[in-house]
């Protein structure tokens, strides 16, 4: 009996050992654990040379309005390239892209991607420096910068998202305040103080409560001053005086009770916008969506103007967010995907179809402007006046602001991770628990230790 | 007529017997082979691969640089890692005891023959469990908004000042726990109900004859005989709480100030930043913790037995 047990247990050991050996053998042939070969030139995408290129491309876009807009452009693209079939797919890019690129399975030819995420994927992407060379001088410098990593460009710049100062003109006029005279952030503080005096319950200036968006907005302010969180070498430069100035402004708004702290367009935010307590919203152009869709009570009362400058005569443009198109190296027909994006962004028929009147936006896509400067001509609007902004010519305002956006540094790979530190510390400052200098010192240390040093 | 040679006729049956024995011996292995193959491919291989990955700084491309214990020492000395475990532990305390007490009482009520329309109640309790979390989360955000939510409006009607349910570190965890309780208690009730139905009804009849009250029956018959089922539910929910990800992801994004960054959410942060080595190490630390907790519960159960 005992020998039988021993035999069985011995057999079990053998089986377990065999399974272990098999599993170890399997794990040894895991995906991509050796450095890929290839020179810098091998990573450089070249445009196709055929006169009538043909083939199929798979393009990933996130679902929603932009997917529908791009879907509508495919017919225009096929007028120029009839032999290229576009498989347009709505995909949760944040959830799928990383795994797809790592495994190399079913890799699309082109992907719509937030600018802030491009640097994280450059090892998997085509270097587009050569194909973009004919256009690069005509692309907004800020967009070229955010698509650049180690001197190479990895994304076809899509939209430029200039920051604008949205204001409730009707409410401000009721308080005897002429917002159009605001030229600097000091003027904005004065106008907010005056409005607060008129309406004591008001928190006139929006203070963002979501850490990610607060950091994005901080970058908009910093961009006006010609700086950004990451320097050209991927290091952090949060300790600069520009950030002290911006954080001090936000701290002043909070300490003086001049702000409404809410997450972008959450129920509190919408309520305070509708009841006239929150009348200044320094935000990217895409806030224009709110008066058009979410603010029925005050729709038509809102206007947009260029951001105030930090010093009189300073830049009144700063970028907030934005997206581009990237082309994975593992894509089957990347060079054809380049033709698609080249058409969309640099061909008049393409960018007119994107930003001009279409099935989704009958007056045109007015939540961003083209980053290709010939397409962003203030005198040649692609989208029409916005009724929710009192019929204002948002195109002229946004393209003028866009032209003032200074170039900044590239967006580093650790930028999104920094939200856990800088984004949260900004909220602690607005709670009154930290000073602007504390935010700079502590966030720099935390980002350096937890993100940069661990790359 | 064909004559079969004597030697051949003796060997053939022996061969048939040997072949039959071999088939019989092999049969069990062949039956389990599909499972073993799938288990190797989808459980053992990823586990070993992840373990190996936890000693590297791999970011999804290029050579996987061996960094030894660096990822583990980083995590074990990281305040954020311990804070995420602390958040999960607090959520566990807020969820599990309440869920088990409410679950047992509800299951007993639903098991009562005196309750009319039991089937409807049972379906009603399982509805939150099958409702998509994203839809529930949106309702939660609106209901618990500090300034415009229905909860604060109701509290305001009786003079209670508005509470920052989702915007303050003090209240975000209880609000998240409430969401988890609402969403999953129905499932626990169903498990407990199945346990209740296996208890012999003659025990209650005997207790009744002896004059035991309903409360006494609950405490002295139902709870002891349901102990194994309760422990199973506790282990199941402990795993769920420590792996909780979707709830904080859709409701609070781990905030405010990381107060709802659970162990599962913290792990997700490493993965999305392509810090796969640290993510793998974090996974293993979580596996060890959850296994230790499960063993502890099993030990407790055995000790009681």
């Amino acid at each position: 009996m005992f020998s039988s047990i021993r035999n069985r247990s011995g057999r079990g050991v053998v089986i377990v050992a065999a399974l272990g050996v098999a599993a170890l053998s399997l794990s040894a042939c895991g995906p991509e654990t050796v450095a890929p070969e290839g020179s810098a030139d091998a990573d450089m995408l070249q445009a196709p040379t055929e006169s009538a290129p043909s083939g199929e491309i798979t393009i990933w876009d996130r679902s929603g309005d932009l997917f529908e807009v791009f879907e509508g452009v495919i017919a225009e693209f096929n007028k120029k390239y009839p032999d290229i079939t576009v498989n347009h797919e709505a995909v949760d890019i944040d959830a799928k892209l990383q795994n797809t690129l790592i495994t190399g399975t079913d890799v699309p030819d082109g992907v719509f991607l937030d600018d802030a995420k491009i640097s994280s994927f450059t090892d998997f992407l085509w270097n587009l420096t050569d194909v973009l060379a004919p256009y690069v001088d005509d692309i907004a410098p800020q967009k070229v910068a955010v698509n650049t990593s180690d001197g190479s460009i990895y994304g076809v710049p899509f939209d430029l998202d200039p920051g604008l100062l949205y204001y409730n003109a009707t409410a401000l006029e009721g308080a005897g305040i002429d917002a159009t005279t605001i030229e600097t952030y000091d003027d904005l503080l004065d106008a907010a103080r005056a409005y607060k005096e008129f309406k004591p319950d008001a928190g006139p200036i929006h203070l963002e409560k979501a850490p990610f968006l607060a950091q994005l907005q901080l970058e908009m302010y910093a961009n006006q001053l010609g700086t950004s969180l990451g320097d050209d070498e991927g290091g952090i430069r949060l300790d600069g005086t520009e950030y002290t100035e911006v954080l001090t402004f936000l701290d002043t708004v909070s300490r003086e009770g001049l702000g409404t702290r809410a997450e972008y367009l959450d129920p509190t935010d919408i309520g305070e916008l509708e009841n006239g307590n929150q009348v200044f919203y320094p935000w990217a152009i895409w806030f224009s969506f709110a008066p058009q869709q979410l603010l029925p009570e005050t729709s038509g009362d809102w206007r947009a103007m260029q951001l105030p400058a930090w010093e009189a005569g300073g830049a009144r443009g700063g970028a907030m967010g934005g997206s581009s198109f990237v082309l994975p190296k593992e894509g089957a027909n990347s060079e054809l995907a380049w033709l698609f994006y080249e058409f969309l962004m640099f061909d008049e028929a393409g960018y007119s179809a994107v930003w001009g009147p279409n099935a989704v936006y009958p007056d045109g896509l007015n939540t961003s402007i083209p980053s290709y400067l010939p397409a962003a001509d203030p005198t040649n609007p692609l989208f029409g006046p916005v009724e929710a902004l009192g019929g204002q010519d948002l195109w002229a305002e946004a393209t003028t602001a866009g032209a003032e956006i200074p170039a900044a540094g590239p967006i580093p790979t650790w930028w999104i991770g920094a939200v856990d530190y800088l984004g949260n510390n900004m909220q602690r400052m607005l709670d009154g628990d930290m000073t602007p200098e504390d935010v700079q010192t502590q966030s720099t240390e935390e980002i350096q230790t937890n993100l940069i040093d661990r790359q | 007529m064909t004559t079969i040679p004597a030697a051949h006729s003796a060997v053939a049956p022996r061969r048939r017997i040997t072949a039959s024995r071999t088939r019989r011996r092999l049969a069990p292995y062949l039956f389990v082979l599909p499972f073993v193959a799938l288990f190797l491919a989808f459980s053992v291989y990823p586990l070993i691969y992840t373990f190996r990955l936890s000693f590297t700084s791999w970011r999804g491309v290029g050579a996987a640089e061996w960094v030894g214990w660096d990822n583990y020492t980083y995590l074990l000395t990281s305040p954020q890692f311990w804070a995420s475990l602390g958040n999960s532990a607090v959520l566990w305390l807020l969820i599990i005891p309440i869920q088990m007490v409410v679950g047992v009482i509800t299951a007993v009520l639903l098991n009562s023959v005196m309750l009319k329309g039991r089937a409807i109640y049972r379906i009603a309790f399982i509805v939150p469990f099958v409702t998509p979390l994203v839809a529930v989360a949106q309702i939660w955000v609106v209901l618990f908004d500090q300034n415009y939510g229905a909860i604060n409006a109701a509290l305001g009607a009786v003079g209670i000042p508005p509470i920052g349910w989702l915007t303050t570190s003090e209240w975000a965890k209880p609000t998240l726990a409430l969401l988890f309780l609402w969403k999953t208690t129905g499932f626990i009730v169903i498990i407990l109900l199945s346990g209740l139905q296996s208890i012999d009804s003659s025990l209650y009849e005997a207790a009744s004859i002896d004059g035991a009250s309903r409360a006494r029956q609950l405490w002295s018959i139902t709870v002891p005989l349901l102990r194994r089922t309760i422990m199973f539910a506790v282990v199941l929910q402990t795993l769920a709480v420590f792996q909780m990800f979707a709830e904080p992801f859709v409701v609070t994004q781990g905030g405010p100030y990381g107060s709802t960054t659970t162990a599962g959410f913290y792990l997700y942060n490493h993965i999305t930043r392509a810090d796969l080595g640290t993510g793998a190490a974090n996974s293993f630390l979580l596996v060890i913790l959850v296994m230790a907790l499960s063993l502890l519960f099993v030990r407790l159960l055995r000790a009681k037995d």
Side-chain angles (χ1 to χ4, degrees):
Chain A
M1 186 181 138
F2 288 116
S3 72
S4 161
I5 291 171
R6 265 202 306 275
N7 283 345
R8 277 184 205 161
S9 112
R11 203 180 299 156
V13 169
V14 170
I15 290 168
V16 169
L19 289 177
V21 169
L24 278 169
S25 313
L26 282 168
S27 76
C29 46
E32 292 293 328
T33 51
V34 291
E37 290 176 6
S39 63
D41 284 341
D43 296 337
M44 188 78 76
L45 185 72
Q46 301 300 327
T49 50
E50 307 98 293
S51 56
S54 63
E56 275 191 33
I57 54 173
T58 299
I59 299 294
W60 280 8
D61 278 313
R62 62 181 179 214
S63 59
D65 57 343
L66 280 179
F67 178 84
E68 299 301 330
V69 168
F70 294 137
E71 182 78 9
V73 183
I74 293 171
E76 292 293 321
F77 172 70
N78 283 140
K79 284 180 189 166
K80 186 168 182 179
Y81 296 106
D83 299 328
I84 299 177
T85 304
V86 181
N87 299 317
H88 193 210
E89 297 177 359
V91 172
D92 182 350
I93 292 165
D94 288 343
K96 274 194 79 173
L97 183 62
Q98 180 173 292
N99 288 349
T100 301
L101 293 176
I102 289 174
T103 59
T105 309
D106 294 332
V107 178
D109 299 296
V111 182
F112 181 87
L113 194 62
D114 290 345
D115 290 338
K117 291 171 185 159
I118 290 174
S119 60
S120 307
F121 295 113
T122 51
D123 287 328
F124 300 96
L125 304 176
W126 282 110
N127 180 345
L128 305 176
T129 308
D130 273 6
V131 289
L132 282 170
Y135 306 106
V136 76
D137 290 341
D138 289 325
I139 299 173
Q142 182 267 343
K143 286 297 284 197
V144 176
V146 297
N147 276 287
T148 300
S149 181
D150 289 333
S152 300
I153 307 173
Y154 288 94
V156 182
F158 167 48
D159 59 348
L160 185 63
D161 294 351
L164 296 168
L165 178 62
Y166 285 93
Y167 59 96
N168 185 331
T170 307
L172 288 166
E173 280 163 20
I177 297 164
D178 181 5
T180 59
T181 61
I182 295 172
E183 290 186 351
T184 65
Y185 282 100
D186 285 337
D187 295 341
L188 177 61
L189 285 174
D190 289 341
R193 288 179 189 120
Y195 191 75
K196 177 94 179 167
E197 210 171 299
F198 170 76
K199 195 173 186 198
D201 289 342
I205 302 172
H206 176 76
L207 286 174
E208 180 54 39
K209 201 161 188 174
F212 172 78
L213 288 173
Q215 186 172 301
L216 202 64
Q217 192 193 34
L218 176 72
E219 286 292 73
M220 174 188 79
Y221 292 132
N223 185 203
Q224 278 188 276
L225 292 165
T227 188
S228 57
L229 208 48
D231 62 24
D232 290 340
E233 281 75 45
I236 184 167
R237 52 181 177 185
L238 177 61
D239 56 357
T241 54
E242 299 90 345
Y243 280 98
T244 312
E245 189 172 2
V246 175
L247 290 167
T248 302
F249 164 75
L250 295 172
D251 190 40
T252 304
V253 172
S254 177
R255 276 189 294 101
E256 292 190 21
L258 299 175
T260 293
R261 284 186 71 190
E263 291 195 12
Y264 176 65
L265 299 180
D266 75 355
T268 290
D269 201 30
I270 290 173
E272 296 297 291
L273 288 165
E274 289 283 66
N275 67 15
N277 280 344
Q278 193 178 197
V279 290
F280 291 115
Y281 216 100
W283 206 258
I285 181 175
W286 29 275
F287 178 81
S288 66
F289 161 77
Q292 293 178 83
Q293 301 284 337
L294 297 176
L295 306 174
E297 299 291 321
T298 54
S299 182
D301 297 342
W302 291 89
R303 302 288 183 277
M305 60 187 281
Q306 291 182 57
L307 289 171
W310 287 102
E311 307 292 341
R316 299 191 61 176
M320 183 174 172
S323 305
S324 297
F325 306 107
V326 294
L327 290 83
K329 283 188 282 193
E330 296 280 328
N333 286 313
S334 306
E335 71 287 353
L336 300 183
W338 154 249
L339 292 180
F340 180 66
Y341 293 130
E342 182 186 40
F343 175 79
L344 244 64
M345 294 296 99
F346 308 121
D347 189 305
E348 189 172 354
Y351 61 69
S352 299
V354 173
W355 276 278
N358 55 52
V360 188
Y361 290 94
D363 296 323
L365 175 65
N366 55 35
T367 51
S368 69
I369 58 171
S371 57
Y372 182 50
L373 300 175
D377 179 355
T379 61
N380 188 17
L382 293 178
F383 58 74
V386 183
E387 284 310 311
L389 298 177
Q392 186 183 14
D393 184 0
L394 182 64
W395 173 266
E397 205 68 47
T399 48
T400 307
E404 286 207 30
I405 296 175
I411 298 177
T413 51
W414 46 263
W415 194 95
I416 289 178
V419 173
D420 284 351
Y421 309 103
L422 175 57
N424 279 336
N425 287 337
M426 283 175 67
Q427 296 306 314
R428 291 189 176 98
M429 178 190 78
L430 298 176
D431 282 346
D433 295 336
M434 290 178 98
T435 65
E437 290 76 18
D438 290 341
V439 173
Q440 288 176 280
T441 311
Q442 189 169 320
S443 304
T444 299
E445 189 187 323
E446 289 172 337
I447 292 167
Q448 185 70 43
T449 307
N450 293 295
L451 301 173
I452 300 173
D453 289 350
R454 293 188 56 74
Q455 284 187 325
Chain B
M1 188 177 160
T2 312
T3 310
I4 301 167
H8 186 262
S9 63
V11 169
R14 214 177 298 144
R15 270 192 193 152
R16 274 203 296 276
I17 290 165
T18 310
S20 165
R21 274 186 190 156
T22 308
R23 273 201 301 276
R24 270 210 301 275
R25 266 192 210 141
L26 279 177
Y29 296 103
L30 287 173
F31 279 121
V32 297
L33 187 63
F35 165 76
V36 170
L38 290 172
F39 182 67
L40 272 177
F42 296 108
S43 294
V44 178
Y45 165 63
L47 198 71
I48 294 174
Y49 186 77
T50 307
F51 186 61
R52 207 179 59 154
L53 202 59
S54 72
F55 293 98
T56 72
S57 61
W58 199 48
R59 305 188 80 85
V61 71
E65 190 192 340
W66 185 264
V67 294
W69 292 98
D70 182 63
N71 292 328
Y72 289 96
T73 50
Y74 167 72
L75 286 169
L76 292 171
T77 55
S78 160
Q80 285 93 6
F81 173 71
W82 290 108
S84 73
L85 289 184
N87 289 335
S88 289
V90 172
L91 281 167
W92 189 94
L93 288 171
L94 290 170
I95 291 167
I96 305 298
I98 295 172
Q99 189 162 57
M100 292 309 134
V101 171
V102 172
V104 169
I105 293 170
T106 312
V108 167
L109 290 174
L110 289 178
N111 200 38
S112 168
V113 287
M114 287 183 290
L115 184 70
K116 291 204 170 93
R118 281 190 298 172
I120 295 168
Y121 289 119
R122 285 177 188 180
I123 291 168
F125 269 92
I126 204 72
V127 165
F129 187 67
V130 296
T131 308
L133 180 66
V134 176
V136 177
Q138 281 308 311
I139 295 168
W140 227 249
V141 168
V142 174
L143 277 177
F144 284 91
D145 185 81
Q146 185 167 354
N147 300 305
Y148 294 89
I151 304 294
N152 275 351
L155 294 176
V158 292
I160 298 174
I163 295 169
W165 297 104
L166 296 168
T167 53
T168 57
S169 303
E170 297 78 30
W171 285 103
K173 267 197 280 282
T175 312
L176 205 61
L178 199 61
L179 169 64
F180 192 87
L181 280 168
W182 183 83
K183 184 100 179 67
T184 63
T185 301
F187 175 62
I188 295 304
V189 167
I190 299 296
I191 291 174
L192 294 171
L193 205 51
S194 67
L196 275 180
Q197 285 166 356
S198 66
I199 298 175
D200 191 345
S201 61
S202 64
L203 291 171
Y204 293 103
E205 286 160 18
S208 238
I209 292 164
D210 288 345
S213 65
R214 290 212 170 268
R216 184 72 191 171
Q217 287 176 30
L218 175 70
W219 189 248
S220 299
I221 300 173
T222 308
V223 171
L225 292 178
L226 209 54
R227 202 169 62 237
R228 280 179 173 276
T229 315
I230 293 172
M231 203 49 83
F232 170 69
V234 168
V235 171
L236 205 66
Q237 292 302 80
T238 300
L239 292 172
V241 169
F242 275 86
Q243 292 173 354
M244 190 194 291
F245 164 73
E247 289 83 357
F249 182 75
V250 293
V251 178
T252 56
Q253 283 286 306
Y257 310 128
S259 60
T260 57
T261 299
T262 57
F265 192 87
Y266 183 66
L267 165 62
Y268 166 82
N269 284 341
H270 294 300
I271 307 295
T272 53
R273 288 173 205 156
D275 189 359
L276 304 179
T278 313
N282 198 342
S283 302
F284 263 89
L285 291 174
L286 270 186
V287 166
I288 292 167
L289 176 73
V290 170
M291 277 178 67
L293 284 173
S294 301
L295 284 174
L296 177 72
F297 292 133
V298 171
R299 276 285 165 88
L300 283 174
L301 182 69
R302 281 192 185 155
K304 284 276 181 188
D305 282 344

